[in-house]
Each structure stands twice: as C-alpha cells, then as structure tokens.
C-alpha cells in the first residue's frame, strides 16, 4: 500500500482550489458553461501527481463548484474523463503535447459522450436530447483552451527545470 504524501495532498488541495476559483472565469458555449481553468489544472495535475490524483482533484473541484452554484452536473464527466486520460498519457509518455491531446480527447469526446446519460438520468429528458450534440463541441472549446494554457505553463516550468524537480520527488 502506498503511503499518502502530505506534499502530494497539499498540491492536490492547491490545484483543487485553483480549479474552483478559476471556474469563475467561465463563458457560455451553447448549452454548457466552459471553464478552461479546470482543464489546465487536469493537465498540470497529471504531470505533477499522476492520473489518480487527477481524477480526485477533478471530482473534488466539480463537487465544490456544484455546491457553490458555480458549475453544472456536466462538470463531472467533462473533467474526470479528461483528467484520467491525460494522466494515463503523461504516465506512459512524459510528453506535454501528447498529454494535452489526451485531455482534449478525454474531455471532449469521452466526457461529451458521458454527458448524454448524465443529462438523461439526472437532468431530465429534454437536457438529454441536447447533450449528445450540445456538449461535445462546447467541451472541445473549453478543454482546448485549457490544454493550450497548460501546455504553455508546463513548457515554461520544464524549461526552467521546475517540472523535473517536482518529478524527482515522486
């Protein structure tokens, strides 16, 4: 059993807070609220902590956003699929652009498709008819912006060797 690191938990808590506060910087695209900061956090968390912390941070941020009235139920599938996929891609490749693509695919395609049953069962049939067509495109817009921001941030951190320093402690 892996020992829980206080340092990793602190970073996860900080990234959760950034995602929640960053959700106030959202914009509407069709039927969805697009919050690119959550997607940026997903990629950064993947690089700093790995896929399982990424899913945990995405879940916690989505839950807090919903409790505070800053998000919708679509925050759950949208962020968690992206966090898992980009975390697994980072773990396998350690490649920043590929990890960003994993976030975009996981959120836009997998999260967008997962939004359909969430909309039907939790939000009502009317929302379900819109979800299949109305969530993949907005998720794509949101996650693309967030992935680009994360790629720039991780690229800068890598250039000054901060990313490698964080990785050496894991």
């Amino acid at each position: 059993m892996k020992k829980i690191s206080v340092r990793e938990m602190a970073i996860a808590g900080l990234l959760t807070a950034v995602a929640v506060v960053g959700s106030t910087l959202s914009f509407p695209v069709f039927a969805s609220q697009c919050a690119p900061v959550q997607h940026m956090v997903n990629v950064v968390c993947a690089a700093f902590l790995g896929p399982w912390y990424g899913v945990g941070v995405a879940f916690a941020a989505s839950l807090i956003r919903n409790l505070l009235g800053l998000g919708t139920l679509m925050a759950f599938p949208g962020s968690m699929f992206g966090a898992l996929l980009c975390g697994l891609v980072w773990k396998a490749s350690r490649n920043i652009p590929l990890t960003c693509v994993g976030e975009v695919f996981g959120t836009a395609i997998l999260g967008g498709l997962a939004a359909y049953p969430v909309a039907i069962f939790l939000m009502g049939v009317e929302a379900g008819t819109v979800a299949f067509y109305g969530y993949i495109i907005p998720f794509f817009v949101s996650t693309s912006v967030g992935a680009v921001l994360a790629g720039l941030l991780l690229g800068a951190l890598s250039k000054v060797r901060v990313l490698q320093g964080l990785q050496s402690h894991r």
Side-chain angles (χ1 to χ4, degrees):
M1 180 176 217
K2 184 181 175 194
K3 183 178 171 186
I4 296 176
S5 164
V6 172
R7 183 174 181 271
E8 289 175 348
M9 291 295 290
I11 292 171
L14 181 64
L15 289 173
T16 301
V18 168
V20 171
V21 172
S23 70
T24 62
L25 304 171
S26 65
F27 54 92
V29 175
F30 303 118
S32 177
Q33 269 305 98
C34 296
V37 175
Q38 174 66 60
H39 308 293
M40 179 188 75
V41 166
N42 283 353
V43 176
V44 170
C45 193
F48 287 4
L49 301 173
W52 307 116
Y53 271 105
V55 172
V57 166
F59 177 80
S62 296
L63 181 63
I64 294 168
R65 286 172 53 203
N66 273 274
L67 291 173
L68 294 175
L70 299 173
T72 68
L73 292 176
M74 296 305 129
F76 290 97
S79 64
M80 292 173 66
F81 278 97
L84 178 61
L85 191 58
C86 76
L88 292 173
V89 169
W90 176 263
K91 188 175 181 177
S93 71
R94 298 282 197 253
N95 182 298
I96 294 170
L98 199 56
T99 301
C100 292
V101 169
E103 166 64 22
V104 172
F105 183 81
T107 297
I109 305 302
L110 300 179
L113 291 173
Y116 181 71
V118 169
I120 287 176
F121 297 119
L122 298 177
M123 297 175 73
V125 177
E126 294 89 28
T129 59
V130 172
F132 186 75
Y133 302 104
Y135 287 112
I136 292 176
I137 300 294
F139 283 5
F140 180 78
V141 171
S142 180
T143 192
S144 296
V145 172
V148 167
L149 292 172
L152 294 172
L153 176 62
L154 289 177
L157 290 175
S158 181
K159 189 171 268 190
V160 296
R161 311 223 22 98
V162 170
L163 184 58
Q164 293 82 350
L166 285 168
Q167 292 298 313
S168 68
H169 293 295
R170 290 201 70 222

